[in-house]
């Protein structure tokens, strides 16, 4: 091709391959300049998919205008001289010929490839940092326009003689499309349908992110990974991931951990930390934006050379990045907030203290904060003020715990924290305690990630606190006193005593600075009966501190609590806990979750405050879906819905419902044929978990109007009032009624820590345990013939579905294969449907011969939001032809996480 002229470009030399095509040096005969031509190979030209990809590359590159990105001059088409033209009618022209050439005209970048530079050995730190900074600036500019490179590697980076870096070959970049669908195989960042058939992987294996190597959808964080690999290779002078075959290299990418201790000793610790964050295998835990890398590299360059050296321990091992913020917090935090990418500003008041700074913290990329009325994961500041843990839904729609690092402005997801609620910190800010709804446990996880560890049972945890001696105090359930346990694990013991005549639960404990006394909320039947009390590990009699709808915290000599949505601070004597002085407003419109009796705020010991405003979840209408998950329609006005049950005849729905997060839940009945709703219970207390009798004459429900949740019955016809069937010091939730109407199956929470299945006999007005073991058994559902009970239990270490004879005794059979919760019987007793732990609905056929039970092969139906006990989020029709589904409303909720720096200065000014 050398010497040929394409359009007005004369080819002068071959420059090698580049992404999807060959690259040639050429002379632009019109403008008198040298350019690079990137030509589409012949076997691509007649392939529409590959051709369109080539054109997309041109559109991508044309939108980029940055000094560190090679410039695109144009997209050209030409017929080479050795090909017939359209006007040629000779016999040769009638024979098949090669198609026209399509090529990009690009800036000719003179200089050495970074791969050649690395091949000579490690790049000195003083040279590597400016190179890395320019690469970061190029990627940041591309990402800001929605463009992901997806094939970043040293061979695609050139360094000119004057030190300018040029990032080349965005040939694998993905341009934003109007109808972009990331699930399409031909748009996959690693494979296309045709490439798969040919055994070709698009991209370079050694620089692929783990998600890219697995063929998953990628975003800008794939470039962050590749940037980390390139930076490591510059510092080390060799490849990071190697292998004999492409498969070996990809396996190394997926499994091998980079040895960061091998990096040169003169590499600054912040630079090592940057490499570490770029090379985290989970994209959710990786550095989230190249702009953050750019800022960090600029900070390193601005330091004096002798201040960049890493300090080492006696063993010569570089220390980990410190978690704590500098002592001069108000000034250091300004840089932190810039990294957070939040719009912080001084208070608008002319007299505002300049050291008081306010900002907002964003949710995960593509996700949403998840603070639900009955399943909260409220944001909580670490004691040292360096991190915030919160519950959020990520791009995969699953809700887990996330940690926002204020020292870097990045958020990372903590794996294996699905169904987590009420997170709280260890006193050294290194670990996080939390409660899991799926298996009813109190667990601990390292704040930087890892596998969680179980501490003890906590079937429905309601908040915890941790002292310097390793003691955790917590509320194990919604009808329990406060318990205590060592963080090493064991059996918890009660440290408060519940006065059931006044309060139905103790919850939300907070240790005081002495580590022995603590505040907790004693919850009444109504919110105006709630009080904050002080308890003690030393056995002192608890005493009332103040009335409060929700929890309180003691920080900086003030007690913080929320009153009618306003966060107030009031002076308090730390020794006597006597409240005095005038309350001072710190924030307005703070989110309050009445169902959980918690306000969403948290304060650190060094002057940071975080709080949330807005609503926990948007009201949503109920959905009808068929067995495939297809939406059949919606019904009901948008509201917040609890547990629901379709009547045995399939024409009515009984469901818990509240109009807003400020209202207690009541039982409602809906006529499904007419979408006609009737409020069934009226008490201002909480009425939940309603179930039908088989004749549909009565509804059985639980209410906390007289203490912990008791069993009530009410006639559907409207005759008579709410009848108290059974009361107990322990909380109870009904799950099923026998076909003859005599037996009510219910879950009983023993001190909030144990969960067992009990049966109430209406004829004798007595209750007795049906399944009571060290495991957690719940959700007992009697079969239509009254002979069997399906339930879920964690006796195997995770929730599974079992069936056993009713009223027993007899053996049990396991139905689920990989986790299950919330079983329902089909009206003919021939099938069970339940949810797995991730929200996939499963149908399992069953057969019964005499006293023998047999479950068939299960079939997946469709996915809903993962179950959040005590609400499964779905209720089937009697014949399983359609399902009522409760949308979570999390992604559409309007809520904002706020951060206030140095809030005590406002108290000093107002005092």
């Amino acid at each position: 091709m050398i010497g040929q002229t394409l359009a007005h470009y004369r080819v002068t030399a071959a420059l090698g391959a580049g992404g999807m095509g060959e690259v040639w040096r050429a002379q632009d005969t019109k403008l008198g300049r040298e350019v690079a031509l990137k030509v589409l190979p012949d076997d691509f030209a007649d392939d529409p998919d590959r051709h369109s990809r080539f054109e997309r590359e041109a559109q991508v590159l044309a939108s980029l205008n940055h000094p560190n990105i090679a410039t695109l001059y144009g997209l050209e088409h030409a017929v080479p001289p050795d090909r017939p033209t359209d006007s040629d009618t000779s016999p040769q022209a009638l024979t098949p010929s090669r198609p026209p050439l399509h090529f990009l005209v690009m800036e000719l970048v003179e200089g050495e490839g970074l791969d050649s530079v690395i091949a000579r050995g490690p790049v000195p730190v003083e040279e590597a940092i400016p190179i890395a900074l320019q690469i970061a600036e190029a990627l940041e500019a591309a990402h800001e326009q929605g463009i992901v490179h997806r094939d970043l590697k040293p061979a695609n980076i050139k360094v000119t003689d004057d030190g300018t870096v040029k990032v080349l070959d965005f040939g694998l970049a993905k341009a934003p499309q109007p109808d972009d669908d990331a699930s399409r195989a031909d748009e996959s960042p690693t494979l296309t349908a045709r490439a798969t058939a040919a055994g070709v992987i698009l991209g370079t294996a050694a620089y692929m992110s783990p998600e890219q190597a697995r063929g998953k959808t990628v975003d800008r964080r794939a470039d962050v990974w590749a940037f980390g690999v390139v930076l490591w290779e510059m510092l080390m002078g060799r490849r990071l991931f190697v292998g004999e075959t492409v498969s070996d290299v990809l396996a190394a990418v997926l499994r091998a951990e980079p040895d960061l201790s091998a990096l040169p000793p003169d590499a600054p610790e912040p630079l090592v930390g940057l490499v570490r964050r770029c090379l985290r295998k989970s994209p959710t835990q990786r550095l989230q934006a190249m702009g953050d890398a750019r800022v960090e590299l600029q900070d390193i360059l601005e330091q004096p050379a002798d201040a960049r050296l890493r300090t080492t321990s006696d063993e010569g091992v570089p220390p980990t990045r410190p978690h704590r913020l500098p002592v001069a917090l108000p000034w250091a935090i300004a840089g932190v907030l810039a990294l957070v990418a939040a719009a912080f500003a001084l208070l608008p008041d002319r007299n505002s203290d300049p050291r008081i700074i306010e900002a907002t913290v964003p949710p995960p990329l593509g996700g949403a904060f998840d603070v639900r009325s009955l399943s909260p994961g409220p944001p909580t500041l670490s004691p040292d003020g360096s991190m915030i843990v919160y519950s959020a839904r990520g791009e995969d729609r699953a809700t887990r715990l996330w940690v926002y690092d204020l020292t870097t402005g990045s958020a990372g997801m903590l794996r294996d924290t699905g169904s987590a609620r009420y997170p709280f910190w260890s006193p050294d800010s290194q670990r996080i305690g939390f409660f899991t709804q799926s298996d009813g446990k109190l667990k601990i996880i390292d704040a930087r990630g890892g596998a969680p560890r179980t501490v003890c049972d906590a079937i429905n945890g309601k908040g915890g606190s941790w002292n310097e001696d390793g003691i955790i105090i917590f509320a194990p359930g919604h009808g329990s006193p406060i318990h205590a346990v060592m963080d090493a694990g064991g059996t918890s013991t009660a440290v408060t005593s519940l006065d059931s005549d006044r309060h139905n639960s103790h919850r939300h404990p907070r240790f005081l600075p002495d580590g022995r006394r603590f505040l907790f909320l004693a919850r009444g039947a109504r919110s105006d009966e709630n009080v904050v009390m002080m308890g003690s590990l030393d056995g002192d009699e608890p005493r009332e501190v103040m009335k409060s709808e929700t929890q309180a915290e003691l920080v900086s000599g003030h007690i913080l609590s929320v009153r009618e949505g306003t966060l107030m601070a009031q002076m308090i004597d730390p020794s006597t806990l006597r409240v005095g002085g005038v309350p001072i407003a710190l924030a307005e419109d703070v989110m309050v979750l009445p169902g959980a009796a918690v306000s969403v705020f948290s304060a650190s010991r060094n002057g940071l405050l975080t709080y949330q405003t807005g609503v926990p979840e948007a009201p949503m209408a109920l959905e009808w879906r068929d067995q495939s998950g297809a939406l059949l329609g919606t019904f009901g006005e948008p509201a917040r819905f609890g547990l629901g049950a379709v009547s045995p005849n399939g024409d009515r729905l009984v469901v818990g419902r509240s109009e807003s997060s400020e209202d207690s839940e009541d039982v409602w009945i809906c006529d499904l044929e007419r979408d006609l709703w009737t409020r069934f219970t009226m008490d201002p207390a909480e009425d939940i978990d309603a179930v039908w009798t088989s004749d549909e004459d009565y509804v059985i429900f639980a209410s906390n109007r007289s203490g912990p949740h008791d069993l009530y019955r009410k006639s559907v016809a409207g005759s008579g009032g709410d009848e108290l069937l059974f009361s107990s010091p322990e909380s109870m939730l009904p799950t099923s009624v026998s076909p003859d109407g005599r037996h009510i199956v219910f879950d009983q929470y023993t001190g909030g820590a144990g969960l067992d299945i009990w049966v109430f006999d209406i004829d004798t007005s007595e209750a007795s345990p049906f399944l009571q073991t060290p495991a957690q058994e719940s959700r007992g559902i009697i079969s239509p013939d009254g002979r069997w009970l399906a339930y879920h239990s964690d006796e195997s270490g995770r929730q599974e579905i079992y069936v056993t004879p009713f009223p027993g005794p007899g053996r049990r059979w396991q139905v689920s294969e990989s986790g299950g919760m919330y079983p329902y019987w089909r009206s003919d007793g021939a099938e069970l449907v339940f949810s797995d732990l991730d929200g996939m609905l499963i149908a399992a056929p069953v057969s019964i011969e005499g006293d023998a039970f047999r479950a068939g092969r299960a079939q997946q139906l469709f996915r809903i939001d993962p179950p959040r006990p005590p609400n499964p989020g779905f209720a089937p029709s009697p014949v399983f032809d359609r399902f009522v589904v409760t949308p979570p409303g999390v992604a559409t909720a309007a809520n904002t996480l706020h951060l206030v720096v140095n809030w005590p200065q406002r108290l000093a000014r107002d005092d």
Side-chain angles (χ1 to χ4, degrees):
M1 192 167 174
I2 297 176
Q4 292 186 2
T5 299
L6 303 177
H8 54 84
Y9 302 99
R10 182 169 181 79
V11 179
T12 58
L15 296 178
M20 291 175 53
E22 294 179 340
V23 183
W24 301 84
R25 189 186 193 107
Q27 179 73 26
D28 184 338
T29 58
K30 280 189 176 180
L31 299 178
R33 62 181 176 185
E34 288 194 303
V35 296
L37 305 183
K38 182 175 177 183
V39 182
L40 184 69
D42 290 341
D43 58 349
F44 278 40
D46 59 352
D47 187 318
D49 290 339
R50 298 183 181 184
H51 195 176
S52 65
R53 185 180 181 87
F54 193 73
E55 291 184 347
R56 284 199 307 274
E57 179 188 17
Q59 295 171 358
V60 167
L61 290 176
S63 67
L64 297 177
N65 183 16
H66 191 272
N68 297 118
I69 298 176
T71 303
L72 172 67
Y73 295 142
L75 172 62
E76 301 284 355
H77 312 276
V79 178
D82 59 346
R83 302 186 186 186
T85 63
D86 292 338
S87 59
D88 190 348
T89 57
S90 64
Q92 292 84 355
L94 300 179
T95 60
S97 63
R98 296 167 64 192
L101 289 178
H102 306 272
F103 56 93
L104 295 172
V105 183
M106 305 175 67
E107 173 188 3
L108 179 64
V109 180
E110 302 281 8
E112 186 176 20
L114 186 57
D115 54 340
S116 300
V117 175
I118 294 174
R120 294 198 297 270
V123 180
V125 172
E126 295 300 315
E127 298 178 17
I129 295 175
I131 293 174
L133 176 59
Q134 293 179 75
I135 298 171
E137 290 173 338
L139 292 174
E140 181 186 14
H143 292 173
E144 286 179 350
Q145 297 191 45
I147 298 165
V148 181
H149 191 293
R150 298 194 297 176
D151 193 28
L152 183 72
K153 56 188 176 183
N156 283 338
I157 301 167
K158 279 198 172 185
V159 183
T160 65
D161 293 340
D162 63 359
T164 301
V165 170
K166 290 281 189 178
V167 179
L168 314 174
D169 199 359
F170 276 73
L172 295 180
K174 177 182 176 183
Q177 300 294 321
D179 301 314
D180 195 12
D181 183 352
S183 65
R184 289 180 55 192
D186 63 346
E187 293 288 341
S188 168
T190 55
L191 300 172
T192 66
R194 194 174 297 274
T196 303
V200 176
I201 297 179
L202 295 179
T204 306
Y207 303 92
M208 286 184 180
S209 64
E211 63 271 22
Q212 192 174 4
R214 289 189 174 99
K216 295 184 178 181
T217 301
V218 301
D219 55 27
R220 64 188 185 186
R221 293 170 295 184
D223 283 353
V224 172
W225 168 277
F227 172 79
V229 175
V230 171
L231 181 51
W232 191 95
E233 293 184 357
M234 278 197 291
L235 297 173
M236 294 299 295
R238 57 183 173 87
R239 283 283 184 93
L240 175 54
F241 299 109
V242 294
E244 293 184 4
T245 67
V246 170
S247 297
D248 293 333
V249 175
L250 291 177
V253 169
L254 294 173
R255 293 195 297 266
E257 291 293 339
D259 183 9
L260 299 180
S261 65
L263 291 173
D266 62 338
E269 194 279 327
L271 186 64
V272 176
L274 176 61
V275 176
R276 180 187 301 112
R277 292 190 296 278
C278 289
L279 293 181
R280 286 175 177 160
K281 296 195 182 293
S282 170
T284 58
Q285 303 226 11
R286 195 177 303 150
L287 189 73
Q288 298 294 295
M290 286 307 305
D292 292 344
R294 171 185 57 77
V295 171
E296 187 131 4
L297 289 167
Q298 286 174 334
D299 288 345
I300 296 172
L301 277 178
E302 291 172 2
Q303 295 177 357
D306 57 356
R308 298 180 194 164
L309 296 178
R310 274 186 294 171
T311 58
T312 59
S313 64
D314 293 339
E315 292 79 15
V317 178
T320 58
R321 186 179 185 88
H323 291 183
R324 304 183 187 276
L325 292 177
V327 175
L329 178 64
W331 310 116
I333 199 69
V336 171
L337 296 178
L339 292 176
V340 173
F344 72 93
L346 298 179
L347 296 177
D349 188 343
R350 291 179 59 186
N351 297 320
S352 61
D353 192 311
R355 290 172 293 176
I356 300 175
I357 301 173
E358 292 186 308
T360 57
V361 177
L365 183 67
F369 293 117
D370 190 352
V371 183
R372 308 194 196 192
S373 298
L374 296 178
S375 304
T380 306
L381 270 163
S382 61
D384 67 0
S386 66
M387 290 176 281
I388 305 174
V389 60
Y390 55 81
S391 180
R393 170 172 291 201
E395 289 181 301
D396 61 356
R397 300 183 62 194
T399 296
R400 301 179 183 89
L401 290 183
W402 291 68
V403 173
Y404 199 102
D405 190 335
L406 290 168
T407 65
T408 63
S410 60
M413 183 193 72
L414 297 180
R415 65 182 182 88
D416 299 328
T417 58
S419 83
R421 60 192 300 175
Y422 289 113
F424 59 96
W425 289 90
S426 63
D428 61 0
S429 302
Q430 301 298 304
R431 292 174 291 168
I432 298 166
F434 64 96
F435 305 91
T436 53
Q437 292 179 289
S438 59
D439 56 1
K441 306 294 182 184
L442 166 61
K443 297 184 179 182
I444 291 174
I445 191 171
D446 189 276
R448 299 297 180 179
R453 172 176 60 83
T454 297
V455 176
C456 65
D457 290 333
I459 193 61
N460 194 10
K462 299 294 183 180
S465 188
W466 204 331
N467 73 4
E468 296 281 357
D469 296 326
I471 299 174
I472 294 175
I473 53 173
F474 66 102
H478 64 266
S480 73
I482 302 299
H483 280 227
V485 67
M486 294 301 298
D487 57 16
T491 302
S492 67
T493 57
V495 293
T496 63
S497 179
L498 191 64
D499 182 358
S500 57
D501 291 335
R502 296 183 58 202
H503 303 116
N504 56 45
S505 69
H506 293 167
R507 54 182 64 192
H508 313 313
R510 301 289 189 270
F511 267 118
L512 296 177
D514 59 19
R516 303 299 297 176
R517 298 176 301 164
F518 54 88
L519 300 176
F520 65 93
L521 184 76
R523 186 185 187 215
R526 299 189 306 271
S527 61
D528 60 3
E529 297 175 350
N530 296 351
V531 295
V532 173
M533 303 189 73
M534 181 188 71
S536 171
L537 296 178
D538 299 324
D540 299 336
E541 186 70 19
R543 69 173 181 82
E544 184 174 326
V545 176
M546 60 186 294
K547 290 188 175 295
S548 178
E549 179 182 354
T550 61
Q551 87 284 4
E553 296 185 8
L554 193 157
V555 189
S556 299
H558 289 73
I559 192 164
L560 273 57
S561 63
V562 172
R563 306 177 192 178
E564 298 181 348
T566 299
L567 178 60
M568 310 292 292
Q570 193 168 7
M571 292 183 64
I572 188 169
D573 186 321
S575 58
T576 65
L577 291 192
R578 301 297 181 188
V579 178
V582 178
I584 299 171
L586 296 179
E588 296 182 347
D589 301 321
V590 177
M591 187 185 298
V592 177
L593 311 178
V598 67
S599 300
V600 188
F601 74 91
S602 173
S604 69
R605 61 188 175 217
N606 61 346
L608 269 74
L609 170 70
T610 185
Y611 64 94
Q612 203 149 5
T613 58
V615 296
E617 52 186 323
M620 303 287 285
L622 294 173
E623 298 176 345
W624 273 119
R625 294 188 178 271
D626 65 16
Q627 283 197 348
S628 69
L631 181 64
L632 302 176
T634 61
F635 66 101
E637 294 296 323
R640 289 170 172 82
F641 294 98
L643 180 69
V646 179
S647 65
N649 289 331
D651 58 352
R652 286 181 290 184
L653 174 75
V654 62
V655 65
R657 169 176 163 176
S658 61
E659 301 307 306
S660 72
S661 60
E662 287 75 28
D663 298 325
S664 295
E665 188 172 312
D666 287 298
V667 176
W668 290 67
I669 293 179
C670 174
D671 182 326
L672 295 172
E673 293 183 358
R674 296 183 294 166
D675 193 10
L676 179 64
W677 288 80
T678 304
R679 185 174 175 178
F680 190 63
T681 63
M682 309 289 182
D683 196 274
E686 183 178 71
D687 300 329
I688 60 174
D689 286 32
V691 294
W692 296 92
T693 58
S694 60
D695 56 12
E696 300 187 18
D697 288 343
Y698 292 92
V699 165
I700 312 296
F701 62 94
S703 177
N704 64 355
R705 61 187 68 174
S706 58
H709 287 92
D710 295 327
L711 296 182
Y712 283 79
R713 177 174 65 177
K714 185 174 183 179
S715 169
V716 177
S719 60
D722 303 348
E723 177 188 1
L724 175 63
L725 293 178
F726 185 66
S727 180
S728 167
E730 309 292 350
S731 191
M732 301 169 289
L733 299 176
T735 59
S736 181
V737 182
S738 61
D740 60 7
R742 177 177 175 178
H743 296 107
I744 299 173
V745 179
F746 64 90
D747 293 343
Q748 176 161 292
Y749 295 81
T750 305
L755 183 58
D756 302 304
I757 296 176
W758 284 58
V759 177
F760 175 72
D761 189 321
I762 290 182
D763 290 349
T764 65
S765 297
E766 294 180 350
S768 58
F770 179 81
L771 285 173
Q772 191 174 41
T773 74
Q776 311 287 347
E777 303 97 0
S778 64
R779 193 60 188 175
I781 307 294
I782 302 175
S783 63
D785 62 4
R787 297 180 54 219
W788 304 90
L789 186 86
Y791 64 98
H792 62 241
S793 170
D794 67 351
E795 64 180 78
S796 67
R798 68 178 176 190
Q799 297 287 358
E800 299 282 3
I801 303 295
Y802 299 91
V803 169
T804 192
F806 184 84
R811 61 159 292 188
R812 53 159 181 72
W813 289 265
Q814 182 174 330
V815 177
S816 57
E817 298 177 0
S818 56
M821 301 178 72
Y822 297 104
Y824 289 89
W825 292 93
R826 201 169 70 191
S827 58
D828 61 1
E831 189 174 52
L832 283 166
V833 70
F834 54 90
S835 171
D836 72 8
L837 305 185
D838 293 323
M840 177 62 72
L841 296 191
I842 310 291
V846 300
S847 60
I848 301 171
E849 297 181 5
D851 293 332
F853 175 90
R854 186 170 181 268
R857 189 171 187 82
Q859 174 186 358
Q860 293 185 346
L861 299 181
F862 62 95
R863 188 176 300 281
I864 61 171
D865 202 53
R868 283 182 165 245
N871 186 2
F874 76 100
S877 70
V879 295
F880 294 176
D881 60 336
R882 58 180 184 164
F883 298 78
V884 176
V885 174
T886 309
V890 170
T892 56
N895 53 50
T896 302
L897 181 57
H898 300 261
L899 183 68
V900 182
V901 180
N902 215 8
W903 62 270
Q905 288 295 322
R906 186 174 301 170
L907 302 180
R909 185 184 66 226
D910 291 344
D911 286 345

